[in-house]
Amino acid sequence: MANNSGMDVKIISFPTTTLNNAKDTSSELQQQQQDNNIQKQVHELFSLGMSSGKFEKIINSPLEMIMILLFGKKMEQSTTVDINLLGCIQNYYGPKVVQFVFLTFCFLLFLLTTQFISDSSSSIVTCLVLSIFIPIIIVLLILKYYQYIASVEVDKYIAYCKKSKELGNISEYYMNNKEKPDNHFFLAVDSNSDNNEIKVLGQVSVDEWIYPGNDKEDGPFCKVLKGKRVIELRRMSVGPESRKRGVATLLLKRVEEYAKERGFDCVILKTSTLQAKARYMYERNGYKCLDNTQTIIPPIFLYCYIKYLN
């Protein structure tokens, strides 16, 4: 199957025997080695996908930072651009709140500095400059520290997931799950790969969702999905070299085909503020956002999406 960039991509299930026919199947030992190699690639893609959601930038530019803090300029939020940390904070708390807190801090610092210098006009100007410059430096330091803490937490989550019963044992959870027999794990692979060197370009899984879900994050779904057969899309990741080439869309379409084949009413998924480009892709393919008011950790919102198949 060729995607919109001309890449020869095939969607297969994992664990799998081989890309080719059964007559070319490797020995059991070779097959196990192949599946172990694929699982390593799955973990690498998962790590890359999660790491791409870290705050790579704390601000877009110094000028934009000044406009946001001093003048309350609302940063344009778009699912087609990268989101920086300051923009997320503004989106979470609101531009007026961010501006008010910053200017209040500046004013208090101005009052404090004027107590220690003479009452000359040049000294007043110095106080004014310092009362703006110092808070900006402090804000940058706070943002940098938060960026580091968020990065550490993402790394902890990645390590936890790799050892979990889900990603730690994909075969057991997705292909041999007696409680959820419709669970499945899909891979987008290079069709030109040989049996011993399968190259994974992307991946996605489906996990049967059973009402009322298993945590408070599923609250928005509970309001509309009682009595319906629901499958949850999870672990969507595409390698950096395969992005913007339609691989994610192919995986998404395969998930929807599979859900229809198994008689599900809809596909749901959860994503966050940080996955801006992924949200755009889902919305472009007909997924509707049910809720974006829940917080993972400030200032990151959780987004709940749904697409009915009938």
Side-chain angles (χ1 to χ4, degrees):
M1 180 187 302
N3 62 6
N4 56 19
S5 69
M7 289 180 63
D8 199 7
V9 179
K10 187 172 184 177
I11 309 298
I12 63 173
S13 299
F14 176 69
T16 180
T17 51
T18 61
L19 283 176
N20 296 329
N21 297 329
K23 63 182 180 180
D24 297 323
T25 303
S26 306
S27 67
E28 184 176 344
L29 179 58
Q30 290 174 320
Q31 186 61 56
Q32 185 176 0
Q33 291 175 339
Q34 175 182 268
D35 285 346
N36 288 340
N37 175 55
I38 292 177
Q39 175 134 337
K40 288 181 182 179
Q41 293 186 63
V42 167
H43 282 181
E44 288 176 6
L45 280 183
F46 170 70
S47 299
L48 286 170
M50 290 300 302
S51 296
S52 67
K54 295 179 181 179
F55 293 110
E56 295 184 358
K57 297 186 292 184
I58 57 176
I59 59 171
N60 281 335
S61 68
L63 178 60
E64 183 179 72
M65 179 181 182
I66 292 172
M67 295 299 292
I68 288 174
L69 296 177
L70 288 180
F71 303 104
K73 177 188 175 184
K74 182 174 174 57
M75 180 180 175
E76 292 297 326
Q77 293 294 316
S78 171
T79 54
T80 61
V81 299
D82 293 326
I83 302 296
N84 64 73
L85 179 52
L86 182 59
C88 282
I89 291 174
Q90 188 196 57
N91 185 50
Y92 186 86
Y93 293 105
K96 296 300 181 184
V97 172
V98 172
Q99 180 192 27
F100 175 78
V101 171
F102 180 77
L103 291 180
T104 299
F105 183 35
C106 291
F107 177 70
L108 293 176
L109 187 61
F110 176 75
L111 293 179
L112 181 64
T113 53
T114 55
Q115 302 300 315
F116 298 97
I117 62 173
S118 60
D119 202 20
S120 65
S121 58
S122 62
S123 297
I124 295 297
V125 172
T126 301
C127 288
L128 187 60
V129 171
L130 289 176
S131 64
I132 295 176
F133 179 74
I134 292 177
I136 286 178
I137 297 299
I138 292 174
V139 167
L140 284 172
L141 291 174
I142 292 173
L143 291 176
K144 195 66 180 177
Y145 177 72
Y146 189 94
Q147 181 188 39
Y148 167 75
I149 295 299
S151 178
V152 169
E153 291 302 314
V154 169
D155 289 338
K156 288 181 180 178
Y157 178 73
I158 291 172
Y160 166 78
C161 289
K162 286 182 178 180
K163 296 178 181 178
S164 69
K165 66 177 183 179
E166 180 211 353
L167 286 182
N169 192 340
I170 295 174
S171 175
E172 186 68 23
Y173 189 82
Y174 282 105
M175 307 303 283
N176 299 297
N177 194 325
K178 295 180 180 179
E179 295 180 359
K180 298 180 177 181
D182 290 314
N183 283 9
H184 213 81
F185 204 97
F186 294 103
L187 303 175
V189 301
D190 186 345
S191 294
N192 296 318
S193 303
D194 60 41
N195 292 340
N196 297 319
E197 295 293 336
I198 293 177
K199 182 179 180 181
V200 180
L201 306 176
Q203 64 200 34
V204 70
S205 67
V206 287
D207 191 350
E208 186 175 357
W209 188 85
I210 301 174
Y211 181 90
N214 54 16
D215 52 47
K216 64 179 182 180
E217 294 177 352
D218 289 334
F221 297 127
C222 293
K223 297 176 182 178
V224 296
L225 296 180
K226 188 174 183 179
K228 296 185 180 296
R229 291 201 70 210
V230 182
I231 203 158
E232 182 176 3
L233 180 151
R234 304 183 68 187
R235 308 309 183 197
M236 173 73 84
S237 299
V238 175
E241 71 283 357
S242 303
R243 292 172 187 170
K244 298 183 180 180
R245 296 183 176 182
V247 175
T249 301
L250 287 178
L251 287 166
L252 191 61
K253 296 302 181 185
R254 182 65 188 100
V255 164
E256 293 172 7
E257 290 173 2
Y258 178 82
K260 290 178 180 178
E261 291 167 3
R262 296 302 177 103
F264 286 95
D265 298 307
C266 58
V267 178
I268 63 172
L269 64 94
K270 288 174 284 193
T271 186
S272 77
T273 302
L274 300 176
Q275 282 73 46
K277 294 178 182 178
R279 297 202 315 272
Y280 173 72
M281 188 267 292
Y282 294 131
E283 291 169 5
R284 189 181 60 201
N285 283 278
Y287 286 76
K288 304 298 182 183
C289 184
L290 288 180
D291 183 79
N292 65 339
T293 60
Q294 297 185 80
T295 302
I296 299 177
I297 55 171
I300 303 172
F301 285 120
L302 178 74
Y303 291 79
C304 297
Y305 280 88
I306 186 171
K307 181 175 181 178
Y308 292 98
L309 302 175
N310 298 327

